[in-house]
Amino acid sequence: MAGKLTDDKQMSASRLPGLLGFSKYSTPNDELQYSINALDGKERPDIGNEAMGWGNTLEPVILSEAAKRLGITKFDTDIRKAFTHDLVPLSCSLDGTGEGEGQTITHDPSKGIYVVGAESIKLIGTGVLEAKLTKTNPEDTPHLARGPIQLQGQMLVTGYRWGAVCVLYGGIELRVFLFDTHYETQQKIISSVLEFDNKLFKYTKTKEIDWYPPESSKEVDRFFPYAKKEKLS
C-alpha cells in the first residue's frame, strides 16, 4: 500500500465506520474534528504502529492467496491512486482489485470462503479486494468496522459490483468474505456523507463547529471545554 492517498478534507471509505458509529476507536465527532484539522492546515497525526505496519506488509500476500481461492488470475495489489465519487464527496483508496470472469463462488467455510447474505455470488468484471489483519478470533461474518462498511463505500465510489474482505486471523487463518452491492447500506453512506460535508461547509463559512450529538461525557467536554463558575446567592 502506498500510504494514505485520500484527502483528509473530505470523508473517505476507511473512515466510514467511525462516521456511522460502528468503530470503537473513532466517533462521528472524532471524524469531524479530523477533517476540520485538515481544513485548518494542521499536520496529520501519526497513528502508525507495528500492527498496522505488518498489515501493510502482508497485504499482497493476503490478497494473492484470496485471489487464488477465488480463481482470479488477473489482480492488482499496487494501486497508487485515490478514487473519488462523481457526485458524493467521498473518496477511497484500494488495497487491490480482481477481475471476475463470470465464475460462480459458493459459500464454503471448509475452504475459507464466506458469501455474505447469499449462498453464492457471480464475479463479473472488476471487484474490490480489501485486506485485513487481526488478532481477533475467526468470525463467520466480519465486524462492520472490519471491512464491510468500508467495502460498500469503496464499491459506491468506484462503481464496482462485487467485493471481498480478506481477513487473516491471528496470522494463521484466512477467511474471504464476499459481498454484493448492498443498496440500503450505500444509501445510508450517501446521506451520512452529505450531512458530514454540510458540517464542513458550515465550518468553512462561520468557523463554528456543528457537532454531532455527544456519545460520552468526554465529548460533552469537547463542546464546552471551559466551565463557567456561578456565584452563590
Side-chain angles (χ1 to χ4, degrees), residues 134-139 146 168-170:
T134 181
K135 62 182 178 180
T136 302
N137 291 330
E139 311 152 291
R146 193 175 296 112
L168 182 61
Y169 292 94

Side-chain angles (χ1 to χ4, degrees), residues 102-137:
Q103 64 266 51
T104 296
I105 305 299
T106 303
H107 183 81
D108 190 350
S110 68
K111 297 180 180 178
I113 295 176
Y114 295 75
V115 181
V116 180
E119 283 301 312
S120 64
I121 185 173
K122 182 171 285 191
L123 308 185
I124 300 175
T126 306
V128 178
L129 301 178
E130 176 65 26
K132 298 294 182 185
L133 175 67
T134 181
K135 62 182 178 180
T136 302
N137 291 330

Side-chain angles (χ1 to χ4, degrees), residues 184-195:
E184 290 79 7
T185 299
Q186 292 195 358
Q187 289 303 303
K188 177 61 176 177
I189 289 172
I190 290 172
S191 63
S192 298
V193 168
L194 291 176
E195 180 186 13

Side-chain angles (χ1 to χ4, degrees), residues 89-105:
L90 177 66
S91 59
C92 73
S93 57
L94 303 179
D95 292 342
T97 58
E99 298 299 321
E101 299 178 355
Q103 64 266 51
T104 296
I105 305 299

Side-chain angles (χ1 to χ4, degrees), residues 62-63 66-67 70 128-133 164-168 174-177:
I62 293 170
L63 297 185
L70 298 175
V128 178
L129 301 178
E130 176 65 26
K132 298 294 182 185
L133 175 67
V165 178
C166 313
V167 187
L168 182 61
L174 177 65
R175 294 191 175 187
V176 181
F177 300 95

Side-chain angles (χ1 to χ4, degrees), residues 180-229:
D180 218 331
T181 300
H182 194 266
Y183 177 81
E184 290 79 7
T185 299
Q186 292 195 358
Q187 289 303 303
K188 177 61 176 177
I189 289 172
I190 290 172
S191 63
S192 298
V193 168
L194 291 176
E195 180 186 13
F196 181 83
D197 191 63
N198 284 337
K199 290 178 182 292
L200 293 181
F201 180 78
K202 179 178 179 179
Y203 178 77
T204 62
K205 295 300 182 182
T206 67
K207 294 302 178 182
E208 295 180 1
I209 303 177
D210 181 16
W211 296 109
Y212 291 95
E215 296 187 358
S216 65
S217 59
K218 180 180 178 181
E219 289 206 329
V220 174
D221 291 340
R222 172 186 284 169
F223 305 160
F224 307 104
Y226 305 107
K228 294 182 180 178
K229 293 183 179 180

